[in-house]
Amino acid sequence: VDNFFPVLEAYGERLEDLEDRIIVAPDRSAIAEVHQVKRELLTIRRSIWPQREALNVLVRDEVPNFEHDTRIYLRDVYDHAVRIIDLVETYREICSDLMDLYLSSVSNRMNEVMRVLTVISTLFIPLTFIAGLYGMNFDPDSSPWNMPELRWYFGYPLCIALMVLISAAQFWFFWRKGWIFAGKWDGPVLPVDPGDRSVTGPS
């Protein structure tokens, strides 16, 4: 039974590495490894559970062939089996939390991409309107209302300057609101007590 402790300690370190990978650069390989760890922990749980039940029977029932020292030893082994099952359940919960962390990381990165695309699209909306307005090609000779600014000497430079000014004003507004260059997201904090991950064998 005690041989499970170093195995679970290795799983604890493995889960810590997976958490760092998911926070820094979440990818499908990391979440696939989390699924694999969860399945392996389930296998360990299925292996230790019958042993715990058998030890429980030996500890609770009065077996005449067992001496007093043997019963004390069996109680100690039973306690170790219970601790192992608790650790397995804790690590399986951590695996579930890592899956939620992965989904949260992917969703947040997608939101960052969508925010950048939205800002870029918003910057070009007024520019597209101005370009479309002066691209209608009305003949100014037919009517004095047909875009008289097309005959201005500095009409084209003024139009370009207006478009640059509008873009700069929008960019400044987005920057003041914190919608761009607001800092890099560091990922959510996994709501798990770090003390639960340190696995030490019985003294």
Side-chain angles (χ1 to χ4, degrees):
V1 174
D2 292 346
N3 291 331
F4 282 101
F5 283 103
V7 175
L8 292 177
E9 183 177 1
Y11 275 111
E13 296 176 355
R14 187 176 176 184
L15 289 175
E16 289 180 357
D17 295 337
L18 286 173
E19 179 185 355
D20 295 336
R21 285 175 53 189
I22 291 175
I23 291 178
V24 175
D27 55 6
R28 294 184 178 180
S29 62
I31 197 64
E33 190 171 352
V34 171
H35 280 287
Q36 181 181 356
V37 170
K38 192 172 184 180
R39 288 194 299 267
E40 293 174 359
L41 290 172
L42 180 60
T43 302
I44 294 177
R45 183 178 182 274
R46 290 175 178 174
S47 300
I48 194 63
W49 190 272
Q51 299 182 37
R52 194 201 73 163
E53 294 299 322
L55 290 169
N56 186 28
V57 172
L58 294 176
V59 169
R60 292 181 178 274
D61 296 342
E62 294 294 335
V63 181
N65 295 330
F66 288 164
E67 298 180 356
H68 179 70
D69 294 339
T70 303
R71 291 193 181 94
I72 295 177
Y73 172 77
L74 291 176
R75 291 192 189 98
D76 185 60
V77 176
Y78 174 77
D79 292 337
H80 293 175
V82 172
R83 288 178 56 191
I84 290 172
I85 292 178
D86 292 339
L87 288 173
V88 170
E89 293 298 329
T90 300
Y91 287 154
R92 293 184 71 230
E93 292 177 0
I94 292 176
C95 289
S96 300
D97 292 336
L98 288 178
M99 294 177 188
D100 295 337
L101 176 63
Y102 171 79
L103 295 177
S104 177
S105 300
V106 172
S107 176
N108 192 281
R109 289 178 181 272
M110 181 63 67
N111 291 337
E112 291 290 331
V113 173
M114 293 302 298
R115 184 176 66 176
V116 173
L117 294 178
T118 301
V119 169
I120 294 175
S121 300
T122 305
L123 288 174
F124 278 94
I125 286 176
L127 307 184
T128 304
F129 171 76
I130 295 175
L133 179 65
Y134 287 102
M136 291 187 291
N137 295 324
F138 284 102
D139 186 7
D141 295 332
S142 301
S143 171
W145 297 99
N146 289 347
M147 299 182 181
E149 59 270 21
L150 293 179
R151 296 185 179 275
W152 293 356
Y153 185 78
F154 293 104
Y156 178 73
L158 287 176
C159 182
I160 296 297
L162 177 63
M163 297 171 72
V164 172
L165 181 62
I166 292 175
S167 299
Q170 286 182 301
F171 189 87
W172 177 83
F173 177 78
F174 294 150
W175 175 73
R176 287 296 301 269
K177 288 291 185 179
W179 296 346
I180 53 177
F181 304 122
K184 186 177 180 181
W185 180 73
D186 295 329
V189 178
L190 189 64
V192 176
D193 185 7
D196 293 339
R197 298 188 179 183
S198 59
V199 183
T200 56
S203 57

